Amino acid sequence: DTAVSQTPKYLVTQMGNDKSIKCEQNLGHDTMYWYKQDSKKFLKIMFSYNNKELIINETVPNRFSPKSPDKAHLNLHINSLELGDSAVYFCASSHFLYDSYEQYFGPGTRLTVT
Amino acid sequence: DQQVKQNSPSLSVQEGRISILNCDYTNSMFDYFLWYKKYPAEGPTFLISISSIKDKNEDGRFTVFLNKSAKHLSLHIVPSQPGDSAVYFCAASARNTDKLIFGTGTRLQVFP
């Protein structure tokens, strides 16, 4: 029973393509996040959603658009992929906004842009 | 600007001995600190945390120490076991934000 799941696990695509990564959590959490871990291993937050509402939007190119159809899902759509988008993307969730700092992470999606 | 720093990229410890992983931070607004453990091809998993009102928190073999004046925290693992071999990330958060700021991680290897 995976708590936070992501699909796909690996994604190889060419520059200029549009791709999506899906995330689902079955923990009943209210808040979900997307993180990016780059080649230098920095794990940086990109977005957070609370009950389908965007809360955090870090300085991320607008080619990246999160979509939350319900509070158990937070998908990440990326337009016009660039070489620099190659990274591991992690989805995470937590119980209450501002109430719990403990975030539960998915296994990650390794995106390679060629 | 790296607000959370883990200056040791790797650490090697013999099984049964103590592992000490260090973390420094620069933002005095941080009031909650966490350690995450990450195995290859998996997401980080929460290990232990500490609030800024405490200086120590213990959970089994894991103890986190916080020195606010030095803006430094450390994770002690005693005794270390081969299964502890992983990358350990320090993270910090400021009050009323749900944003975790992560360090770059320390790879711990516990050898028999």
Side-chain angles (χ1 to χ4, degrees):
Chain A
D1 290 346
T2 305
V4 182
S5 59
Q6 295 178 228
T7 53
K9 194 165 177 62
Y10 300 96
L11 184 54
V12 181
T13 188
Q14 290 184 326
M15 283 175 53
N17 285 347
D18 303 338
K19 290 292 178 186
S20 292
I21 307 172
K22 295 185 176 181
C23 178
E24 176 181 0
Q25 54 95 4
N26 62 8
L27 298 167
H29 287 167
D30 299 303
T31 309
M32 295 185 72
Y33 312 81
W34 277 109
Y35 285 84
K36 178 181 180 181
Q37 186 179 33
D38 61 22
S39 57
K40 294 183 179 178
K41 306 301 181 188
F42 283 107
L43 192 62
K44 284 184 152 180
I45 190 164
M46 300 172 68
F47 303 101
S48 78
Y49 267 73
N50 179 255
N51 276 322
K52 302 194 298 175
E53 182 183 342
L54 180 65
I55 302 298
I56 290 176
N57 183 350
E58 290 295 288
T59 311
V60 177
N62 57 15
R63 298 183 294 104
F64 290 78
S65 53
K67 285 185 172 52
S68 181
D70 55 62
K71 74 174 191 177
H73 296 84
L74 181 62
N75 304 323
L76 183 64
H77 189 76
I78 316 170
N79 289 329
S80 303
L81 278 155
E82 299 177 358
L83 292 175
D85 297 333
S86 296
V88 182
Y89 292 84
F90 289 99
C91 176
S93 70
S94 67
H95 196 34
F96 290 123
L97 184 65
Y98 307 148
D99 188 61
S100 170
Y101 298 97
E102 297 168 19
Q103 298 179 11
Y104 295 79
F105 285 79
T109 296
R110 182 174 293 276
L111 171 65
T112 303
V113 182
T114 62
Chain B
D1 177 30
Q2 227 180 311
Q3 299 182 68
V4 178
K5 299 178 185 179
Q6 294 176 256
N7 292 318
S8 298
S10 64
L11 175 67
S12 190
V13 172
Q14 189 172 29
E15 182 179 5
R17 307 290 285 258
I18 184 170
S19 295
I20 300 176
L21 295 97
N22 294 303
C23 178
D24 297 293
Y25 62 96
T26 57
N27 189 341
S28 57
M29 298 299 291
F30 289 148
D31 64 349
Y32 203 83
F33 304 89
L34 306 89
W35 285 95
Y36 279 79
K37 176 179 177 179
K38 185 183 180 304
Y39 293 117
E42 295 183 12
T45 55
F46 170 73
L47 193 57
I48 192 169
S49 62
I50 188 167
S51 163
S52 59
I53 63 173
K54 296 185 175 181
D55 54 20
K56 177 183 173 181
N57 188 25
E58 191 172 349
D59 183 2
R61 296 185 298 113
F62 302 91
T63 303
V64 56
F65 295 92
L66 175 62
N67 182 335
K68 282 186 294 184
S69 60
K71 293 192 175 68
H72 176 84
L73 64 155
S74 60
L75 174 68
H76 292 210
I77 307 173
V78 180
S80 301
Q81 299 173 355
D84 296 330
S85 297
V87 176
Y88 289 79
F89 289 95
C90 170
S93 184
R95 188 181 303 278
N96 291 333
T97 73
D98 65 342
K99 189 161 69 171
L100 289 182
I101 307 297
F102 283 84
T104 50
T106 297
R107 182 177 301 279
L108 172 66
Q109 184 182 8
V110 180
F111 58 92

